[in-house]
Amino acid sequence: MASDSPDSLMSICTDFCLRNLKGTLCYLLDNEILRLHPDIFLPSEICDRLVNEYIELVNADSSFEPHDSFFTLFSEPQSTRLTRLHLREDIVQDQDLEAIRKQDLVELYLTNCERLTAKSLQTLANFRQTLVSLSLFGCSNIFYEEESLGGYDETDRLVNPTRQVLVRDFTFQGFQQLRFLNLGCITKVVDVEQMLRPLVCMKALNLSGIQLNDIGFLTQWKDSLVSLVLYNMDLSEEHIRVIVQLHKLRHLDISRDRLSSYYKFKLTRKVLSQFVQHLEELVSLDISGHLTLENCAVSKMDDELGPPSNNPSKSSISPFRALKRPLQFLGLFETSLCRLIHIPAFKVSGDKNEEQVLNAIEAYTEHRPEITSRAINLLFDIARIERCNQPLRALQLVIAALKCHKYDKTIQVTGSAALFYLTNSDYRSEQSVRLRQQVIQVVLNGMESYQEVTVQRNCCLTLCNFSIPEELEFQYQRVNELLLNILIPTRQDESIQRIAVHLCNALVCQVDNDHKEAVGKMGFVMTMLKLIQKKLQDKMCDQVMEFSWSALWNITDETPDNCEMFLNYNGMKLFLECLKEFPEKQELHRNMLGLLGNVAEVRELRPQLMTSQFITVFSNLLDSKADGIEVSYNACGVLSHITFDGPQVWFIAEPTRQEVEDRMWSAIRSWDISSRRNINYRSFEPILRLLPQSISPVSQHWATWALYNLVSVYPDKYCPLLIKEGGLPLLTDLINMPSAHEETKDMARKVLDLCSNYNEDTMDTSL
């Protein structure tokens, strides 16, 4: 069983403060602008965490409300100190960076912040004295500014169109402390060499996705550069000549996406040998996606025998036999080399086995969704066909990918499919409560972000792997809203509709009445009735139809408001139409009568059932043999509550009250008391209220029969419930009532005996 360690106090406090800013750290100025209380002073450890967690919450939690003025809380270093920020996605805008311009930032990671413009480049200059590490990965608009083309149109109205203009004069002049820089996936037309030349001492540089014919300028840092990433850069012999001069390199990544474009360059034995010979300090190398010539691998004749080894002397990759020690990491994803036996590295990314695939997901998730999605697809096949050897690691990596790329459709499709297999019963015992909650969060994020059929189906199927409603309780309202949204389009994909209705039904079964009322107010009752109406139009009684009636049965249980909604939205009309259209569908009849039993329990609603048409239908169903005794039993229950109101409310001429009661007596006497039931009572209160009365002996008899059947067939479940809810004194009183029928009293005595024997059997006799 996976351990569930509690959140740290720092995590709990940070989360609480961010969700309750106005009640903790802040007040509202003019009812709209957040301001920090004047007596609050926060160190960088807390401020960094607040900002970084805020970004995570905005990205991952749809219920969290972002604040336009949040970053202004950190505008003054005297009271709030920031040093290390990780900001991502389009939540971050120019004014946010401008708000913190006075801070002495040491580390600033901006990832895929596409709303940042050249205004933020100017703001970066404020951090030039202190900034050591900077990432602008995916900030594709940060080198553009808006230029006004204001003028007048043909009607002499002033117009103010703008256009995007490239900023060509920005350089890192004055950034004397900058050592780590990521410019991956920025706009292609920027003059990178001119921009970087002022930097004196670079240690790590990422130029992913940038095409440079000449990288000779990198040699100015040959004595300091330890990490170089040139992912998806079109390489040539000249590029290799420059790279091998960077003799301090410990990490080199020249990998590529093999599907991105046609690529002529091939890695040869000579190139790999140059890396080994000249880059003696290399501990990490990524050549994923490259075509390699056959001479890179040793011949089968020369390959070492025995189990796989990372000893360089045994390497199946010929040039790597000259390594002095195994590499810490070797990226071989989507290359033929990953399938060789002896690979001189402690960690290898590839597509040969589960370990390599997981390493690939781990290595590429943050910045390479196109590679990550293919790696997750391989993991999906492993989880589907085989058994994962590292299910916890696999699940954590898929969760991380889905969180990181919430808006990437390909990752959402492959990730949600993998989650279905990684959360099934085979792996449940190894997964902690927190981990499974994280799965639910990312699944709901996917459902929220994508209406696409495949994502919706995968997410719904994954939710079916959880204990419902228990494991979804913490997101109860959100999951119901999302499922109801799926069901609103009446032409929804049939399989999704079926799964979603099943989930809706499970979610309203075995929850308290407050939850049911809340879901009813979301439109649950109306949505189910619309589905039923659509199925009636199509003359189709399938699982969606039956699940919809079952869901209505569950959501109306002891919930008068939902029962009233059912009547107000023409539920009785649909009930009659379904009976007429599908006379042989036993499961359907059971569900419908169970629902109407709930409606009949509400005294204020019973007059709406008092029509000749409805009473005749209920009376006729007393003779039904559908689903054992269930349909007859439920029909009798409905009539028991109606007759309980007395003869004064029987406003109809036909059928007469006496006729109906006679048929009820006959039906009850025909039932087998040992019948096993397809029903689940959470409370006996609606039944018990029929006992202490003399106005309708047949209702009293039905209630007593129901209790006798349940406590005799399921004593462990229902004896304690009957005792707990005070049923025994009521049965004792019934025995002494002159109006009660003798056979009713006889059954009441048997119920008391069963409960007495149950108490004796379960009494603790240990010393």
Side-chain angles (χ1 to χ4, degrees):
M1 173 67 185
S3 62
D4 251 341
S5 57
D7 288 327
S8 68
L9 184 59
M10 172 69 93
S11 295
I12 295 169
C13 291
T14 302
D15 185 79
F16 182 82
C17 287
L18 288 172
R19 294 180 187 276
N20 301 275
L21 284 171
K22 287 180 285 185
T24 53
L25 305 175
C26 309
Y27 65 95
L28 273 182
L29 180 65
D30 299 329
N31 285 325
E32 57 178 339
I33 302 173
L34 280 174
R35 285 288 182 266
L36 204 66
H37 285 298
D39 57 348
I40 287 180
F41 302 89
L42 300 173
S44 60
E45 294 85 354
I46 293 177
C47 291
D48 290 350
R49 184 139 191 170
L50 282 168
V51 175
N52 294 333
E53 287 292 323
Y54 171 82
I55 296 296
E56 286 298 312
L57 279 173
V58 173
N59 274 319
D61 189 342
S62 63
S63 65
F64 182 78
E65 288 290 331
H67 299 275
D68 290 339
S69 54
F70 176 77
F71 282 86
T72 62
L73 300 176
F74 307 91
S75 58
E76 294 299 331
Q78 294 89 340
S79 55
T80 52
R81 195 70 61 86
L82 293 171
T83 55
R84 291 178 168 81
L85 297 185
H86 293 219
L87 313 179
R88 61 183 308 117
E89 309 300 343
D90 56 6
I91 328 159
V92 187
Q93 303 181 57
D94 291 326
Q95 61 264 32
D96 298 326
L97 286 188
E98 173 68 17
I100 60 172
R101 67 188 182 282
K102 296 180 184 178
Q103 297 286 351
D104 293 334
L105 293 184
V106 174
E107 182 177 288
L108 177 61
Y109 290 177
L110 302 170
T111 305
N112 296 323
C113 300
E114 296 183 354
R115 295 176 72 177
L116 296 182
T117 70
K119 291 180 182 178
S120 290
L121 281 183
Q122 298 169 16
T123 304
L124 287 180
N126 291 284
F127 312 130
R128 64 183 180 275
Q129 299 297 329
T130 56
L131 206 58
V132 174
S133 183
L134 172 66
S135 172
L136 301 179
F137 185 91
C139 299
S140 54
N141 296 312
I142 200 167
F143 289 94
Y144 288 95
E145 61 184 356
E146 287 189 348
E147 180 179 81
S148 175
L149 298 174
Y152 293 88
D153 63 13
E154 61 275 6
T155 62
D156 289 334
R157 286 185 306 177
L158 183 65
V159 293
N160 189 33
T162 60
R163 68 175 179 181
Q164 296 285 94
V165 179
L166 181 69
V167 173
R168 298 182 181 277
D169 57 354
F170 176 81
T171 71
F172 285 102
Q173 184 70 45
F175 287 73
Q176 297 303 313
Q177 303 299 320
L178 194 60
R179 298 292 182 269
F180 305 89
L181 180 60
N182 186 339
L183 297 177
C185 298
I186 60 170
T187 182
K188 297 177 181 178
V189 290
V190 172
D191 188 338
V192 174
E193 180 178 355
Q194 173 190 312
M195 184 166 49
L196 298 183
R197 194 162 293 283
L199 295 173
V200 178
C201 182
M202 287 299 297
K203 287 186 175 294
L205 183 61
N206 187 325
L207 299 176
S208 294
I210 299 174
Q211 300 306 326
L212 297 173
N213 294 325
D214 182 6
I215 59 171
F217 67 92
L218 296 180
T219 58
Q220 67 180 306
W221 306 304
K222 65 181 181 181
D223 294 326
S224 63
L225 199 63
V226 296
S227 175
L228 178 63
V229 179
L230 303 177
Y231 169 68
N232 259 358
M233 183 180 288
D234 291 340
L235 301 179
S236 66
E237 297 271 342
E238 184 59 29
H239 288 85
I240 302 301
R241 188 190 65 78
V242 172
I243 289 170
V244 297
Q245 295 179 56
L246 307 174
H247 61 96
K248 291 290 185 181
L249 281 181
R250 293 174 60 79
H251 171 65
L252 173 62
D253 183 344
I254 56 169
S255 62
R256 62 179 294 100
D257 176 6
R258 65 177 177 82
L259 301 183
S260 61
S261 61
Y262 177 69
Y263 188 54
K264 294 180 180 178
F265 184 78
K266 290 183 176 63
L267 280 182
T268 62
R269 178 191 289 227
K270 177 184 176 183
V271 170
L272 294 181
S273 295
Q274 285 181 296
F275 290 161
V276 173
Q277 180 182 350
H278 296 284
L279 306 177
E280 295 184 356
E281 297 186 26
L282 204 63
V283 296
S284 173
L285 174 65
D286 201 331
I287 56 174
S288 296
H290 275 282
L291 293 172
T292 55
L293 294 183
E294 292 302 318
N295 64 0
C296 288
V298 299
S299 67
K300 290 184 179 180
M301 293 274 297
D302 295 332
D303 210 358
E304 295 281 342
L305 299 175
S309 169
N310 60 19
N311 188 331
S313 65
K314 295 183 177 181
S315 174
S316 300
I317 305 171
S318 180
F320 290 162
R321 287 194 168 184
L323 285 169
K324 295 178 181 177
R325 59 194 173 279
L327 295 170
Q328 294 296 316
F329 176 82
L330 180 57
L332 299 175
F333 188 72
E334 295 182 328
T335 69
S336 58
L337 298 180
C338 75
R339 296 180 183 85
L340 300 177
I341 297 174
H342 305 298
I343 301 177
F346 293 108
K347 184 176 282 191
V348 178
S349 73
D351 47 40
K352 176 184 178 182
N353 53 40
E354 180 183 342
E355 175 70 20
Q356 289 187 1
V357 168
L358 293 178
N359 290 340
I361 299 172
E362 186 175 66
Y364 308 130
T365 285
E366 186 171 10
H367 292 139
R368 300 175 196 175
E370 64 281 5
I371 305 295
T372 305
S373 65
R374 300 206 290 273
I376 293 176
N377 204 42
L378 292 170
L379 176 63
F380 164 75
D381 286 335
I382 292 169
R384 179 172 59 90
I385 300 168
E386 309 167 27
R387 177 178 170 85
C388 276
N389 296 314
Q390 303 178 62
L392 286 182
R393 183 184 176 207
L395 189 55
Q396 288 162 344
L397 288 173
V398 173
I399 290 171
L402 288 167
K403 279 184 177 179
C404 190
H405 300 287
K406 182 178 174 181
Y407 301 106
D408 187 292
K409 178 183 171 182
T410 309
I411 285 210
Q412 292 298 319
V413 169
T414 57
S416 58
L419 284 182
F420 172 68
Y421 287 98
L422 292 171
T423 55
N424 67 27
S425 56
D426 291 344
Y427 305 119
R428 177 175 294 199
S429 62
E430 303 173 50
Q431 296 164 1
S432 68
V433 172
R434 181 184 299 176
L435 187 61
R436 288 177 71 81
Q437 286 186 346
Q438 289 176 0
V439 173
I440 292 166
Q441 289 276 22
V442 294
V443 164
L444 298 184
N445 287 345
M447 292 173 68
E448 222 160 34
S449 303
Y450 290 94
Q451 299 306 309
E452 198 269 340
V453 169
T454 308
V455 174
Q456 295 282 338
R457 184 189 299 112
N458 290 348
C459 290
C460 286
L461 283 170
T462 300
L463 290 178
C464 292
N465 285 337
F466 291 81
S467 297
I468 302 172
E470 295 83 9
E471 288 191 280
L472 301 183
E473 184 82 23
F474 79 108
Q475 290 282 292
Y476 192 78
Q477 180 174 340
R478 185 182 177 202
V479 69
N480 272 291
E481 287 175 345
L482 288 169
L483 290 170
L484 290 177
N485 284 337
I486 287 175
L487 292 171
I488 286 172
T490 52
R491 291 290 178 186
Q492 178 63 271
D493 177 88
E494 185 71 26
S495 63
I496 298 177
Q497 198 176 68
R498 185 174 62 253
I499 303 163
V501 174
H502 163 73
L503 287 167
C504 283
N505 187 22
L507 281 163
V508 294
C509 184
Q510 300 297 310
V511 294
D512 60 44
N513 295 346
D514 289 341
H515 280 76
K516 293 180 182 180
E517 287 176 3
V519 175
K521 289 172 183 174
M522 293 178 200
F524 188 100
V525 176
M526 182 182 288
T527 300
M528 293 301 141
L529 289 173
K530 284 184 176 178
L531 286 173
I532 292 166
Q533 188 172 38
K534 176 65 177 60
K535 291 298 178 182
L536 267 170
Q537 290 170 0
D538 296 342
K539 298 186 182 303
M540 183 183 297
C541 182
D542 57 5
Q543 285 185 320
V544 172
M545 169 74 93
E546 291 181 355
F547 284 162
S548 297
W549 279 108
S550 179
L552 288 171
W553 181 5
N554 284 318
I555 201 172
T556 54
D557 182 29
E558 298 183 47
T559 317
D561 286 352
N562 292 340
C563 292
E564 187 173 13
M565 283 186 213
F566 170 78
L567 294 178
N568 291 344
Y569 297 147
N570 293 317
M572 290 303 295
K573 178 174 178 288
L574 293 175
F575 161 67
L576 294 175
E577 290 176 1
C578 284
L579 271 181
K580 181 180 178 181
E581 187 65 41
F582 310 112
E584 304 302 321
K585 293 292 183 178
Q586 299 186 14
E587 180 89 4
L588 177 68
H589 294 182
R590 179 179 67 86
N591 292 342
M592 292 193 298
L593 266 295
L595 157 63
L596 292 178
N598 292 337
V599 176
E601 289 172 6
V602 184
R603 188 183 192 98
E604 296 76 19
L605 301 179
R606 287 200 282 269
Q608 297 186 52
L609 303 180
M610 182 56 71
T611 70
S612 291
Q613 184 182 28
F614 294 155
I615 298 299
T616 299
V617 168
F618 298 145
S619 299
N620 290 337
L621 288 171
L622 289 170
D623 300 326
S624 172
K625 304 302 179 188
D627 199 18
I629 68 167
E630 296 301 334
V631 172
S632 177
Y633 171 88
N634 285 327
C636 199
V638 172
L639 292 168
S640 292
H641 288 287
I642 292 173
T643 56
F644 172 65
D645 289 337
Q648 69 275 11
V649 300
W650 199 274
F651 298 121
I652 59 174
E654 290 292 333
T656 66
R657 188 168 186 268
Q658 187 60 50
E659 288 172 345
V660 171
E661 288 185 332
D662 289 345
R663 294 185 71 175
M664 290 169 65
W665 279 107
S666 177
I668 296 170
R669 288 166 178 155
S670 71
W671 301 337
D672 180 358
I673 196 64
S674 63
S675 298
R676 302 195 69 80
R677 308 299 305 285
N678 196 352
I679 198 167
N680 182 37
Y681 281 100
R682 293 189 303 123
S683 170
F684 282 145
E685 194 278 330
I687 294 176
L688 294 178
R689 74 169 76 124
L690 299 177
L691 296 180
Q693 51 96 11
S694 58
I695 201 163
S696 176
V698 71
S699 299
Q700 191 180 58
H701 189 65
W702 174 84
T704 309
W705 189 97
L707 296 175
Y708 183 29
N709 166 251
L710 293 168
V711 299
S712 60
V713 178
Y714 307 102
D716 291 341
K717 180 175 183 179
Y718 289 118
C719 282
L721 181 62
L722 183 58
I723 295 167
K724 177 185 174 184
E725 295 195 335
L728 303 191
L730 293 175
L731 289 165
T732 302
D733 292 343
L734 183 153
I735 293 169
N736 297 319
M737 290 177 64
S739 59
H741 282 223
E742 198 55 44
E743 59 187 302
T744 307
K745 294 180 181 181
D746 185 51
M747 274 197 294
R749 292 187 188 96
K750 291 176 180 177
V751 174
L752 291 171
D753 289 343
L754 284 167
C755 288
S756 176
N757 293 337
Y758 176 82
N759 262 345
E760 290 176 6
D761 290 344
T762 57
M763 188 178 298
D764 185 4
T765 58
S766 60
L767 295 176

